Amino acid sequence: MHLAATLVAVLFFAVVLLGTVSAVLPAFGYLPVLGMTTLSFAPWLQLWETPGLAEMLWWSFFSGVGATLVSMLLALAFVSAAWGSRFWHQAERWLSPIMATPHLALSVGLIFMIMPSGILARGLSPFMDWQGPPDWHTVQDPWALSLTALLILKETPFLILMLMVSIRQLPVREILRTGLGLGYQSWTVWVKLIWPQLYSRTRLSMLTVLVFSLSVVDIAIVLGPATPPTFAVQVLNWFQNPDLEFQALASAGSVLLLLLVLAAIALIIVLEKLASSLLRGWLTSGYRGAGGCFWSALSIISWKTLLVVFTGSSIMLLIWSFVWRWRFPAFFPQSWSLKGWERAWPRLLEPLEMALLIGVVSAFLALIFSVLILEAGRKSQTESPFLRKMHRLIGRAMYLPLLLPQLTFLFGIQVWLIRSNAEGHWLSVALMHLLFVLPYCYLSLSGPWRHYDDRHTAQALMLSGSSVRAFFQVKCLILLKPLLASFALGFAVSIAQYLPTLFAGAGRITTVTTETVALASGGNRKIMAVYALVQMLLPMLMYGLMVLLSAWRIKSWRPIRRWV
Amino acid sequence: MKLEVRNLALSVAGKRLVSDLSFIARAGRVLAITGPSGCGKSSILDFLCGTLPGSFQGSGTIMLNDRDITSRPSHERGIGLQLQDHLLFPHLSVSENLAFGIPSFYSRSERKQKIEKALSECQLPNFGRNNPLTLSGGQRARISLMRTLLSEPKVLLLDEPFSKLDPELRQQFREFVFNRVSELSIPVIMVTHDQADIPEASETIKL
């Protein structure tokens, strides 16, 4: 088992590292596939001379770092205000659907809300006396504000979820009782005593948000600035340029993107150090706090705004997919039709089938590999210190693909796929998706696996005498709910993948996501709404199916009962 | 200084824990509340502090020096609470944990003096820079109590302060606590299920 788990982990890391290294060589003019065999700095010089380079880098940096810091602050504030209140339970109910919604579908919904002819402008038009759409730059604005807003909208719930998991490890009630007993306001107790401890536990999750926000491509195409675009989008444009000369420039760009990500991570570390030394005196100054009610209310208002925008975006997708005529400034559509669906459906079927196939295969493989690695890690606890260390290392390294910009290593992997003639096959795409699905499945399962009481297995082993039966018939059935939830999460992650499909699919494999991005740049709004809605519904349906399955009384499920 | 509680009633999920309880805790004296586990001892302290969980219902009046503080927020009541876990904050050093208790109106030099004095009273003069996780159970208990006392509470509540210590440490910490308490002219209310914890010259309420 250790050998199999190690093999899977080594293969996984090798592919990521090989992809990264393979992207570095073309950046220095070495790409034998295209006949470039001499090392040179020409791609870097060409990159340096790119018009608007500084602007592209700045807006990527601004939107990425800004969205991450604001999301983290909002998430911490919400957790502090909601702990022990009804909002905590409300968040537990809402987080799953928000998390399951792909960024892209949400960004299309957001466009329908904030665009000049969107519902927001329609709602304001009677008061502003607008007869035509206002001259707003709310979508693809040059300051990347709509992109930043979308990132905040999507990443705050993710960080809230991570904080809700981490907070279980802290004696929050005791800390609050102690802090209040010392005369501190509740809000100050959170900021001075609980935030520092929570932050250190969710730092890695925040860094994954940072990397994602800096290097995201699909939603940056739809919502981000256009002339010039964010840097990641520009790098993709170079990669997709039919002139092969641009491949070396794109590689140099992808390496620069990696450097940008590293610089942002370094900035966060410097900010942490600064905050730690500058705020240390304030932490122990004895200041008991003021205005706690204001901050609590503000946090809850932010949460409610987030829910309203999320719900509004989803409703907009639904409305636009059935709209036939909706002239500005009317608040309600004038006529409805199924024509959007009728026109979209025939073209949508193939990408839909492909998305389902790739999603199910990659999520299934990720689930099996996660269980294998976790089970081997669990067994290593009672074995040699070397094995324990190795499995701890594997666990930490699972974050690796989430801490590197996708563009950087996917291009390198694509080079290897071309060499081995595996490009453009659905299985290659599924395996490429696996690189991102596996970390999420592993991370979602690691908690339940850690908390599983091994005495159940020991008891089953004594009764049945078979470790295989004890594992499948007891452990897997006890952990059925997290296993199904992990599968649904893996499926949702796969559905949302854009770049891996683009790089491994070579244009021959298309999914709902790649088609939605293609439509978003100037397509018909009704068709775009249908595609985005389908993309949004797929993971939700899978979550629903898994919830139904886990709620099903296993005892009355005949096939399992017979097998057991 | 005195704390008076009138007609205290507590219940959880429809089950009555305490009904019509009235008592007065006087300055420099220990009032011990005893009873079996689950009878509502700690909940009484939570009611006094204003930290009663939402699932509990509580009623009654709390008077501090004849002033009604029942509806005042927890941080304005001036009631210090010492928990059985002797919780120290792991992201702050031992000195910083003590500094956390000192009110903000003291100057930097006064704060420093108070911390040094507290450390030497705890017999831990060279432990200021240490991480609290490196301290033993008894050391943690002393620092935690000192931190509560440095916040200058008008009333001190002790929630099973000795229950998590081994017998030898328990005896030492008991002496440490009651020596400090006798120096203070504030009311002390202690919750315990162990009769041995109760000092001789104290009043006792049995639940």
Side-chain angles (χ1 to χ4, degrees):
Chain A
M1 181 179 278
H2 289 301
L3 188 67
T6 312
L7 200 67
V8 168
V10 167
L11 260 174
F12 176 74
F13 306 132
V15 169
V16 176
L17 292 175
L18 195 71
T20 311
V21 173
S22 303
V24 174
L25 286 175
F28 292 94
Y30 186 82
L31 190 58
V33 183
L34 300 180
M36 294 187 252
T37 50
T38 334
L39 289 173
S40 79
F41 281 101
W44 288 95
L45 291 173
Q46 203 183 345
L47 180 66
W48 187 250
E49 286 161 7
T50 304
L53 178 69
E55 213 177 332
M56 287 189 278
L57 288 172
W58 166 247
W59 290 121
S60 300
F61 195 78
F62 168 79
S63 57
V65 175
T68 307
L69 292 180
V70 174
S71 303
M72 189 67 192
L73 202 62
L74 284 178
L76 281 169
F78 172 75
V79 166
S80 314
W83 192 83
S85 77
R86 68 189 169 89
F87 291 105
W88 189 269
H89 305 293
Q90 189 186 60
E92 284 177 329
R93 276 199 308 277
W94 274 89
L95 283 175
S96 291
I98 297 178
M99 295 281 293
T101 305
H103 286 72
L104 186 61
L106 199 61
S107 61
V108 174
L110 188 67
I111 287 177
F112 292 147
M113 284 187 82
I114 62 170
M115 64 186 181
S117 59
I119 197 74
L120 198 64
R122 287 169 193 270
L124 286 173
S125 63
F127 310 104
M128 310 303 280
D129 203 22
W130 289 329
Q131 293 310 310
D135 186 21
W136 281 0
H137 289 280
T138 41
V139 177
Q140 296 191 322
D141 60 285
W143 313 281
L145 292 176
S146 49
L147 174 64
T148 310
L150 190 274
L151 286 169
I152 293 169
L153 187 67
K154 195 68 177 68
E155 299 309 327
T156 305
F158 169 70
L159 289 172
I160 289 176
L161 184 73
M162 292 296 113
L163 288 171
M164 285 170 100
V165 172
S166 305
I167 213 166
R168 289 186 201 135
Q169 301 162 14
L170 293 177
V172 176
R173 189 169 141 68
E174 277 64 39
I175 296 175
L176 278 169
R177 286 172 81 200
T178 306
L180 292 170
L182 292 171
Y184 284 80
Q185 276 200 7
S186 167
W187 188 260
T188 318
V189 176
W190 276 95
V191 176
K192 286 191 169 188
L193 299 180
I194 303 175
W195 282 18
Q197 297 184 61
L198 266 183
Y199 178 78
S200 61
R201 284 171 166 81
T202 39
R203 191 166 172 254
L204 210 51
S205 305
M206 191 192 74
L207 290 182
T208 65
V209 169
L210 176 72
V211 176
F212 174 82
S213 305
L214 280 166
S215 56
V216 68
V217 169
D218 51 356
I219 57 168
I221 292 174
V222 176
L223 268 177
T227 45
T230 59
F231 189 61
V233 174
Q234 184 58 51
V235 174
L236 180 67
N237 290 341
W238 287 329
F239 272 127
Q240 289 185 315
N241 197 308
D243 184 351
L244 295 177
E245 294 279 311
F246 277 89
Q247 293 304 308
L249 175 63
S251 293
S254 70
V255 175
L256 184 59
L257 186 64
L258 176 65
L259 294 176
L260 184 74
V261 164
L262 292 177
I265 292 176
L267 176 75
I268 295 285
I269 293 170
V270 169
L271 284 177
E272 278 172 13
K273 300 266 179 219
L274 265 177
S276 167
S277 59
L278 291 177
L279 296 179
R280 202 133 196 114
W282 176 75
L283 278 184
T284 54
S285 65
Y287 173 68
R288 262 55 176 174
C293 295
F294 170 76
W295 294 113
S296 288
L298 197 67
S299 311
I300 296 299
I301 290 170
S302 307
W303 165 252
K304 285 183 175 173
T305 310
L306 194 138
L307 289 190
V308 166
V309 177
F310 172 76
T311 317
S313 302
S314 311
I315 292 171
M316 280 300 108
L317 286 183
L318 192 67
I319 290 176
W320 271 100
S321 69
F322 290 104
V323 155
W324 179 239
R325 186 166 293 147
W326 195 3
R327 292 228 171 94
F328 193 87
F331 192 74
F332 294 104
Q334 278 103 8
S335 58
W336 303 88
S337 166
L338 282 171
K339 282 189 182 158
W341 284 90
E342 284 167 3
R343 277 163 64 186
W345 195 249
R347 281 185 286 164
L348 184 62
L349 264 180
E350 201 185 318
L352 180 62
E353 284 170 7
M354 201 48 82
L356 282 171
L357 177 68
I358 293 167
V360 169
V361 169
S362 57
F364 186 67
L365 287 176
L367 195 67
I368 291 175
F369 292 155
S370 300
V371 169
L372 186 68
I373 296 170
L374 284 166
E375 199 54 21
R378 184 97 185 170
K379 289 220 184 318
S380 74
Q381 297 299 317
T382 52
E383 291 176 24
S384 73
F386 170 74
L387 277 176
R388 275 206 302 274
K389 268 187 192 167
M390 190 183 73
H391 282 286
R392 213 174 300 142
L393 190 70
I394 290 174
R396 283 184 191 158
M398 275 290 160
Y399 273 101
L400 190 63
L402 309 180
L403 290 171
L404 288 170
Q406 287 191 350
L407 265 172
T408 307
F409 65 94
L410 288 184
F411 170 67
I413 297 172
Q414 189 193 28
V415 172
W416 287 96
L417 286 178
I418 295 170
R419 278 188 182 175
S420 51
N421 211 17
E423 201 194 25
H425 194 278
W426 71 266
L427 192 60
S428 307
V429 180
L431 291 175
M432 196 84 117
H433 280 206
L434 188 62
L435 291 176
F436 305 98
V437 176
L438 181 56
Y440 282 103
C441 283
Y442 175 84
L443 294 172
S444 72
L445 270 181
S446 53
W449 228 259
R450 211 173 26 245
H451 293 119
Y452 173 77
D453 188 346
D454 273 326
R455 285 176 300 182
H456 293 298
T457 308
Q459 193 71 31
L461 195 61
M462 276 198 294
L463 293 170
S464 69
S466 158
S467 55
V468 176
R469 288 184 67 180
F471 176 74
F472 283 106
Q473 295 178 359
V474 175
K475 188 164 187 174
C476 285
L477 288 185
I478 288 176
L479 294 170
L480 186 65
K481 203 173 168 183
L483 280 167
L484 293 174
S486 174
F487 178 82
L489 175 69
F491 180 79
V493 171
S494 169
I495 289 295
Q497 294 306 312
Y498 173 66
L499 281 180
T501 316
L502 210 62
F503 276 94
R508 294 194 287 280
I509 305 289
T510 55
T511 60
V512 184
T513 303
T514 56
E515 291 300 282
T516 311
V517 176
L519 277 169
S521 44
N524 181 318
R525 277 181 202 163
K526 294 155 202 167
I527 308 257
M528 193 163 88
V530 173
Y531 274 71
L533 191 64
V534 170
Q535 200 215 14
M536 181 184 259
L537 288 176
L538 279 177
M540 286 196 182
L541 290 174
M542 186 56 84
Y543 264 105
L545 187 66
M546 293 302 125
V547 168
L548 273 180
L549 266 179
S550 62
W552 203 341
R553 288 174 63 85
I554 304 284
K555 275 186 244 164
S556 61
W557 197 19
R558 280 191 175 178
I560 282 193
R561 194 169 60 173
R562 202 176 301 146
W563 182 55
V564 170
Chain B
M1 193 81 71
K2 68 168 183 178
L3 181 90
E4 187 180 355
V5 174
R6 294 176 192 158
N7 310 111
L8 172 62
L10 287 173
S11 58
V12 59
K15 186 189 164 198
R16 188 154 282 261
L17 295 173
V18 177
S19 57
D20 204 23
L21 178 69
S22 300
F23 57 83
I24 298 175
R26 294 175 204 284
R29 304 281 301 272
V30 175
L31 174 75
I33 302 176
T34 65
S37 296
C39 69
K41 303 188 296 289
S42 296
S43 304
I44 293 175
L45 299 192
D46 273 331
F47 180 76
L48 296 179
C49 281
T51 55
L52 200 63
S55 52
F56 284 72
Q57 287 84 45
S59 64
T61 309
I62 311 165
M63 307 289 288
L64 181 63
N65 282 343
D66 299 321
R67 207 160 50 90
D68 189 349
I69 58 161
T70 318
S71 54
R72 297 202 67 81
S74 312
H75 62 276
E76 288 177 11
R77 294 188 181 195
I79 298 178
L81 175 68
Q82 175 70 19
L83 301 174
Q84 57 182 333
D85 290 311
H86 310 297
L87 191 79
L88 294 182
F89 312 126
H91 63 294
L92 302 177
S93 67
V94 172
S95 286
E96 287 169 334
N97 262 281
L98 290 169
F100 196 82
I102 304 172
S104 59
F105 52 76
Y106 285 106
S107 70
R108 188 174 285 192
S109 58
E110 286 172 323
R111 299 172 76 79
K112 205 175 163 193
Q113 276 176 8
K114 279 178 173 289
I115 293 167
E116 279 168 11
K117 191 172 170 232
L119 282 171
S120 73
E121 278 186 47
C122 293
Q123 293 164 340
L124 295 166
N126 301 318
F127 283 69
R129 286 171 183 269
N130 281 32
N131 185 299
L133 297 176
T134 61
L135 301 184
S136 68
Q139 291 170 333
R140 271 207 301 275
R142 278 178 275 159
I143 294 289
S144 173
L145 179 78
M146 270 303 172
R147 184 181 60 194
T148 307
L149 296 181
L150 283 172
S151 72
E152 300 178 359
K154 295 183 185 107
V155 180
L156 178 64
L157 308 182
L158 304 170
D159 188 0
E160 309 248 16
F162 317 113
S163 64
K164 294 222 169 156
L165 300 173
D166 60 53
E168 196 183 334
L169 275 178
R170 205 174 173 132
Q171 182 54 37
Q172 283 175 14
F173 187 54
R174 212 180 274 147
E175 282 170 21
F176 182 81
V177 171
F178 294 126
N179 286 341
R180 296 293 162 297
V181 163
S182 63
E183 290 166 10
L184 299 166
S185 55
I186 58 170
V188 177
I189 300 176
M190 181 175 72
V191 150
T192 182
H193 62 268
D194 191 342
Q195 290 292 331
D197 289 340
I198 303 168
E200 280 174 19
S202 64
E203 295 171 53
T204 304
I205 297 173
K206 280 187 186 164
L207 292 181

